[in-house]
Amino acid sequence: MEDAKKHPDFEMVKNIMEPIHGERGRNALGFYQWLAMAASGAGWMSHHDTLPTYFPVNQGIHLPNYGKVTAYQDHIPSLMSGTVKEWDKIIKLLIEVKVTKSDKSAFEAVQHAYPDSMIIDEGLGYVQHGFAYDSPHYVNCKLMSNSRVIHMSHFSIKRAVEDGLYPRDKLIKEITGNRFGFKTRSRAVKSFLTEW
């Protein structure tokens, strides 16, 4: 939050977000992360539920696509890169599209309204969405070797439970209110990474 407050557009974004999502609501914080990226020198951004798997140092230092904002999972900002100038440009467009439900929804609106403002590069396979199991406890190492990060969204966790691929399936039954594995997501991810 402190980095976001350093951005010159922070007060304007706060005045839009606060009445809708509260001062520190999850969706308000989603918008603030964009400001924080620009204010802190830019580079790579990932969501809190996105973990590194294999990220060569040279790729971390040299931004792809000459620093143009690049998303690696369509409109979902699970992993993105860009220069300060590019992040600032996207921030202006996020405000301009007037979509305030979430930063993901706003970014999708920008993607459709201004397709040349960014690069969507899913072809590299940088983001593995969810557990890469072929069957329970058998990791697809080929999928994992191509990824740079693994995005453990609520959607992918729920899908793993439904498909019988949640690595800590006993915890689903043992913990009240954990029907979809959300309460034990961190333990499940740790188990998956250990099995990998």
Side-chain angles (χ1 to χ4, degrees), residues 44 53-62 126 147-148:
W44 291 88
T53 54
Y54 170 72
F55 217 113
V57 174
N58 67 329
Q59 288 183 351
I61 295 170
H62 304 289
Y126 277 8
S147 69
R148 298 293 180 255

PDB file of all heavy atoms in Angstrom, residues 44 53-62 126 147-148:
ATOM      1  N   TRP A  44       8.337  -7.019 -12.956  1.00  0.00           N
ATOM      2  CA  TRP A  44       7.410  -8.147 -12.932  1.00  0.00           C
ATOM      3  C   TRP A  44       6.409  -8.015 -11.781  1.00  0.00           C
ATOM      4  O   TRP A  44       6.773  -7.589 -10.693  1.00  0.00           O
ATOM      5  CB  TRP A  44       8.180  -9.454 -12.740  1.00  0.00           C
ATOM      6  CG  TRP A  44       9.006  -9.825 -13.923  1.00  0.00           C
ATOM      7  CD1 TRP A  44      10.293  -9.435 -14.179  1.00  0.00           C
ATOM      8  CD2 TRP A  44       8.617 -10.646 -15.016  1.00  0.00           C
ATOM      9  NE1 TRP A  44      10.719  -9.966 -15.353  1.00  0.00           N
ATOM     10  CE2 TRP A  44       9.711 -10.725 -15.894  1.00  0.00           C
ATOM     11  CE3 TRP A  44       7.463 -11.342 -15.335  1.00  0.00           C
ATOM     12  CZ2 TRP A  44       9.676 -11.461 -17.072  1.00  0.00           C
ATOM     13  CZ3 TRP A  44       7.416 -12.075 -16.500  1.00  0.00           C
ATOM     14  CH2 TRP A  44       8.517 -12.125 -17.356  1.00  0.00           C
ATOM     15  N   THR A  53       8.224 -21.154 -10.035  1.00  0.00           N
ATOM     16  CA  THR A  53       8.637 -22.554 -10.148  1.00  0.00           C
ATOM     17  C   THR A  53      10.058 -22.616 -10.711  1.00  0.00           C
ATOM     18  O   THR A  53      10.955 -23.138 -10.091  1.00  0.00           O
ATOM     19  CB  THR A  53       7.670 -23.357 -11.035  1.00  0.00           C
ATOM     20  OG1 THR A  53       7.527 -22.710 -12.298  1.00  0.00           O
ATOM     21  CG2 THR A  53       6.310 -23.489 -10.374  1.00  0.00           C
ATOM     22  N   TYR A  54      10.231 -22.043 -11.881  1.00  0.00           N
ATOM     23  CA  TYR A  54      11.558 -22.007 -12.505  1.00  0.00           C
ATOM     24  C   TYR A  54      11.645 -20.708 -13.271  1.00  0.00           C
ATOM     25  O   TYR A  54      11.004 -20.543 -14.307  1.00  0.00           O
ATOM     26  CB  TYR A  54      11.750 -23.202 -13.449  1.00  0.00           C
ATOM     27  CG  TYR A  54      12.997 -23.096 -14.293  1.00  0.00           C
ATOM     28  CD1 TYR A  54      14.245 -23.270 -13.722  1.00  0.00           C
ATOM     29  CD2 TYR A  54      12.916 -22.805 -15.638  1.00  0.00           C
ATOM     30  CE1 TYR A  54      15.399 -23.151 -14.481  1.00  0.00           C
ATOM     31  CE2 TYR A  54      14.059 -22.680 -16.415  1.00  0.00           C
ATOM     32  CZ  TYR A  54      15.293 -22.861 -15.833  1.00  0.00           C
ATOM     33  OH  TYR A  54      16.437 -22.732 -16.583  1.00  0.00           O
ATOM     34  N   PHE A  55      12.408 -19.761 -12.756  1.00  0.00           N
ATOM     35  CA  PHE A  55      12.490 -18.441 -13.371  1.00  0.00           C
ATOM     36  C   PHE A  55      13.960 -18.071 -13.528  1.00  0.00           C
ATOM     37  O   PHE A  55      14.593 -17.620 -12.579  1.00  0.00           O
ATOM     38  CB  PHE A  55      11.778 -17.402 -12.501  1.00  0.00           C
ATOM     39  CG  PHE A  55      11.061 -16.359 -13.288  1.00  0.00           C
ATOM     40  CD1 PHE A  55       9.686 -16.276 -13.269  1.00  0.00           C
ATOM     41  CD2 PHE A  55      11.760 -15.460 -14.078  1.00  0.00           C
ATOM     42  CE1 PHE A  55       9.015 -15.318 -13.993  1.00  0.00           C
ATOM     43  CE2 PHE A  55      11.097 -14.500 -14.812  1.00  0.00           C
ATOM     44  CZ  PHE A  55       9.715 -14.428 -14.774  1.00  0.00           C
ATOM     45  N   PRO A  56      14.531 -18.278 -14.720  1.00  0.00           N
ATOM     46  CA  PRO A  56      15.940 -17.931 -14.924  1.00  0.00           C
ATOM     47  C   PRO A  56      16.213 -16.451 -14.612  1.00  0.00           C
ATOM     48  O   PRO A  56      15.412 -15.583 -14.958  1.00  0.00           O
ATOM     49  CB  PRO A  56      16.171 -18.214 -16.409  1.00  0.00           C
ATOM     50  CG  PRO A  56      15.086 -19.175 -16.789  1.00  0.00           C
ATOM     51  CD  PRO A  56      13.914 -18.823 -15.916  1.00  0.00           C
ATOM     52  N   VAL A  57      17.320 -16.186 -13.963  1.00  0.00           N
ATOM     53  CA  VAL A  57      17.659 -14.826 -13.528  1.00  0.00           C
ATOM     54  C   VAL A  57      17.664 -13.843 -14.693  1.00  0.00           C
ATOM     55  O   VAL A  57      17.138 -12.739 -14.581  1.00  0.00           O
ATOM     56  CB  VAL A  57      19.025 -14.813 -12.789  1.00  0.00           C
ATOM     57  CG1 VAL A  57      19.454 -13.393 -12.472  1.00  0.00           C
ATOM     58  CG2 VAL A  57      18.936 -15.635 -11.526  1.00  0.00           C
ATOM     59  N   ASN A  58      18.222 -14.247 -15.830  1.00  0.00           N
ATOM     60  CA  ASN A  58      18.289 -13.306 -16.957  1.00  0.00           C
ATOM     61  C   ASN A  58      16.902 -12.896 -17.443  1.00  0.00           C
ATOM     62  O   ASN A  58      16.708 -11.782 -17.901  1.00  0.00           O
ATOM     63  CB  ASN A  58      19.119 -13.876 -18.111  1.00  0.00           C
ATOM     64  CG  ASN A  58      18.474 -15.082 -18.765  1.00  0.00           C
ATOM     65  OD1 ASN A  58      17.764 -15.851 -18.111  1.00  0.00           O
ATOM     66  ND2 ASN A  58      18.734 -15.272 -20.038  1.00  0.00           N
ATOM     67  N   GLN A  59      15.907 -13.784 -17.321  1.00  0.00           N
ATOM     68  CA  GLN A  59      14.542 -13.415 -17.712  1.00  0.00           C
ATOM     69  C   GLN A  59      13.905 -12.489 -16.687  1.00  0.00           C
ATOM     70  O   GLN A  59      13.012 -11.719 -17.019  1.00  0.00           O
ATOM     71  CB  GLN A  59      13.690 -14.659 -17.907  1.00  0.00           C
ATOM     72  CG  GLN A  59      14.060 -15.416 -19.157  1.00  0.00           C
ATOM     73  CD  GLN A  59      13.155 -16.606 -19.390  1.00  0.00           C
ATOM     74  OE1 GLN A  59      12.344 -16.971 -18.545  1.00  0.00           O
ATOM     75  NE2 GLN A  59      13.305 -17.224 -20.550  1.00  0.00           N
ATOM     76  N   GLY A  60      14.345 -12.566 -15.459  1.00  0.00           N
ATOM     77  CA  GLY A  60      13.834 -11.674 -14.437  1.00  0.00           C
ATOM     78  C   GLY A  60      14.373 -10.260 -14.581  1.00  0.00           C
ATOM     79  O   GLY A  60      13.717  -9.294 -14.234  1.00  0.00           O
ATOM     80  N   ILE A  61      15.571 -10.153 -15.117  1.00  0.00           N
ATOM     81  CA  ILE A  61      16.230  -8.849 -15.250  1.00  0.00           C
ATOM     82  C   ILE A  61      15.820  -8.137 -16.531  1.00  0.00           C
ATOM     83  O   ILE A  61      15.527  -6.948 -16.529  1.00  0.00           O
ATOM     84  CB  ILE A  61      17.761  -9.016 -15.192  1.00  0.00           C
ATOM     85  CG1 ILE A  61      18.161  -9.528 -13.805  1.00  0.00           C
ATOM     86  CG2 ILE A  61      18.471  -7.713 -15.531  1.00  0.00           C
ATOM     87  CD1 ILE A  61      19.604  -9.957 -13.703  1.00  0.00           C
ATOM     88  N   HIS A  62      15.791  -8.854 -17.641  1.00  0.00           N
ATOM     89  CA  HIS A  62      15.480  -8.261 -18.948  1.00  0.00           C
ATOM     90  C   HIS A  62      14.010  -8.509 -19.271  1.00  0.00           C
ATOM     91  O   HIS A  62      13.594  -9.652 -19.462  1.00  0.00           O
ATOM     92  CB  HIS A  62      16.376  -8.856 -20.033  1.00  0.00           C
ATOM     93  CG  HIS A  62      17.835  -8.702 -19.738  1.00  0.00           C
ATOM     94  ND1 HIS A  62      18.473  -7.478 -19.787  1.00  0.00           N
ATOM     95  CD2 HIS A  62      18.766  -9.601 -19.349  1.00  0.00           C
ATOM     96  CE1 HIS A  62      19.742  -7.639 -19.446  1.00  0.00           C
ATOM     97  NE2 HIS A  62      19.945  -8.916 -19.171  1.00  0.00           N
ATOM     98  N   TYR A 126       4.266 -19.696 -19.614  1.00  0.00           N
ATOM     99  CA  TYR A 126       4.895 -19.234 -18.376  1.00  0.00           C
ATOM    100  C   TYR A 126       4.050 -19.523 -17.147  1.00  0.00           C
ATOM    101  O   TYR A 126       4.569 -19.699 -16.064  1.00  0.00           O
ATOM    102  CB  TYR A 126       5.167 -17.734 -18.439  1.00  0.00           C
ATOM    103  CG  TYR A 126       6.439 -17.330 -19.141  1.00  0.00           C
ATOM    104  CD1 TYR A 126       7.222 -18.250 -19.830  1.00  0.00           C
ATOM    105  CD2 TYR A 126       6.863 -16.016 -19.120  1.00  0.00           C
ATOM    106  CE1 TYR A 126       8.383 -17.866 -20.470  1.00  0.00           C
ATOM    107  CE2 TYR A 126       8.031 -15.628 -19.757  1.00  0.00           C
ATOM    108  CZ  TYR A 126       8.778 -16.548 -20.431  1.00  0.00           C
ATOM    109  OH  TYR A 126       9.928 -16.173 -21.055  1.00  0.00           O
ATOM    110  N   SER A 147       6.820 -24.052 -17.316  1.00  0.00           N
ATOM    111  CA  SER A 147       6.253 -22.897 -16.614  1.00  0.00           C
ATOM    112  C   SER A 147       7.317 -22.127 -15.848  1.00  0.00           C
ATOM    113  O   SER A 147       8.362 -22.655 -15.503  1.00  0.00           O
ATOM    114  CB  SER A 147       5.149 -23.349 -15.654  1.00  0.00           C
ATOM    115  OG  SER A 147       5.696 -24.079 -14.585  1.00  0.00           O
ATOM    116  N   ARG A 148       7.018 -20.866 -15.613  1.00  0.00           N
ATOM    117  CA  ARG A 148       7.858 -20.017 -14.775  1.00  0.00           C
ATOM    118  C   ARG A 148       7.208 -19.828 -13.407  1.00  0.00           C
ATOM    119  O   ARG A 148       7.878 -19.601 -12.417  1.00  0.00           O
ATOM    120  CB  ARG A 148       8.075 -18.643 -15.422  1.00  0.00           C
ATOM    121  CG  ARG A 148       8.782 -18.692 -16.759  1.00  0.00           C
ATOM    122  CD  ARG A 148      10.219 -19.167 -16.590  1.00  0.00           C
ATOM    123  NE  ARG A 148      10.925 -19.234 -17.834  1.00  0.00           N
ATOM    124  CZ  ARG A 148      11.209 -20.361 -18.489  1.00  0.00           C
ATOM    125  NH1 ARG A 148      10.820 -21.523 -18.008  1.00  0.00           N
ATOM    126  NH2 ARG A 148      11.874 -20.336 -19.611  1.00  0.00           N
TER     127      ARG A 148
END
